[in-house]
Amino acid sequence: MGGLDYDTAKKLATGDAADRRFVASRAETQPEILYLLATDKSAEVRREIALNSSTPRQADMMLSTDVDESVRSGLASKIAALVPTLSADRVGQIERMTLQILETLARDRAAAVRGVMVAALKDLPNAPPTVIQQLARDLDASISGPVLRHSPILTDDDLLEIIAGAPEDERLCAIAERADVSVAVSDAIVQTEREAAVASLLGNASAQIREETLDRILDLAPKHEPWHAPLVRRPHLPPAAAARIAGFVTDSLVKVLESRSDLPAETRQAITQAVRQRLPAAKTGAGTGNGLVDEEEAPKERPADRARRLHKEKKLTEDTVTMALGQGDRGFVMASLALLSGLPQPIVEKIIAGQSPRGVTALCWKAKLTMRAARQVQMRLAQIPPSNVLNAREGTKYPMTDDEMKWQLEFFGVE
């Protein structure tokens, strides 16, 4: 059949269901006839009207609340496909009605209808913000998940608000898997301590994770096996973090860590040292009769002597101290703090034994360590509970003034 003239279309529109469906599906059918068929008793006819690009928007408005799910799904696919063509600087009656239809369908009771919307809008940069906000907060993770994972419309403030609402793991994981997760969002995810979400974050190579946040993860990681593999494969591992990871993951993951050629020499050296720490010392001795070749063991350097040697060679750095913290080398860290701060070792030991967050922080300041390292010294050396640890101010700054820290040290006899 060729073009459909008005009289023919009008006649068919009052015929049987097959005729009405035919007229409803034709793009050349006159708008008033399409509008009339939008209230047809047959759901199949109304679905054709919903799919027809020539249907007047007023008829689409009626169909957005149709009783039949297939009608609403068809309408959702048509209207969502129009979003890329909507002009941001032209907001007339048609555009307003289109947006209203989108908002109605985003709240539809049927997940299948909302799912059609998600498939079309989840990664569009010009998707209507109100619609994306509605879908991102959908309690059905199959709806909200793809939007949380992909939508460029969502801001950090939006994501932080959703995280604060304690969503279930699937939605939290979707946020963790976004491209280029910001530092603020990463911090919020780690603070939840949700195993699956943190594992997803660690597995996301584009996620930005501060060293302080990574330290927090490493504090908890021994109890969370799903974090181990993504930690081992995490790009840009700091030397101290790599050494700590090598201290608690399985032998097979240690081999993966050791085989990484993308890590700088300093980090690979830290891993090697950590691996040596976890291996049992070789037992050798003459006259054992076991057929083994005896090897003379070199005398082991004492922790304090090693600290003094590195200090003299100007190699006693913050990374060296934090690496030793991760390996549990208490004697070396104590000696290092004394050397770096210029304080007598008995004073250092007294400050650490006092378990005062302010006192330990002042000691680290005196040793010219960063607050990141000071936080680790508080928790790992002074055994101060995480809830009592003194944290950085404005990201990385010490939370006390110089005068306040000098005053803290005076309690321990430091002039």
Side-chain angles (χ1 to χ4, degrees), residues 113-130:
V113 175
R114 305 197 306 278
V116 171
M117 299 283 288
V118 168
L121 304 179
K122 66 179 186 297
D123 51 9
L124 290 185
N126 67 329
T130 54

Side-chain angles (χ1 to χ4, degrees), residues 118-198:
V118 168
L121 304 179
K122 66 179 186 297
D123 51 9
L124 290 185
N126 67 329
T130 54
V131 175
I132 291 298
Q133 295 290 349
Q134 175 69 34
L135 294 171
R137 288 164 173 76
D138 199 296
L139 295 179
D140 186 334
S142 69
I143 302 301
S144 54
V147 177
L148 293 171
R149 187 175 290 107
H150 298 291
S151 178
I153 300 294
L154 297 172
T155 66
D156 276 5
D157 286 343
D158 295 328
L159 298 171
L160 292 171
E161 179 187 333
I162 291 168
I163 293 170
E168 70 277 16
D169 281 354
E170 195 170 349
R171 294 167 67 203
L172 200 55
C173 287
I175 296 174
E177 291 165 3
R178 287 175 65 86
D180 302 315
V181 177
S182 72
V183 165
V185 173
S186 290
D187 286 350
I189 291 171
V190 173
Q191 286 170 11
T192 68
E193 298 185 15
R194 301 270 278 279
E195 187 173 80
V198 175

Side-chain angles (χ1 to χ4, degrees), residues 2-18:
L4 195 63
D5 62 66
Y6 181 82
D7 290 335
T8 301
K10 185 175 181 180
K11 181 179 179 181
L12 291 172
T14 58
D16 60 23

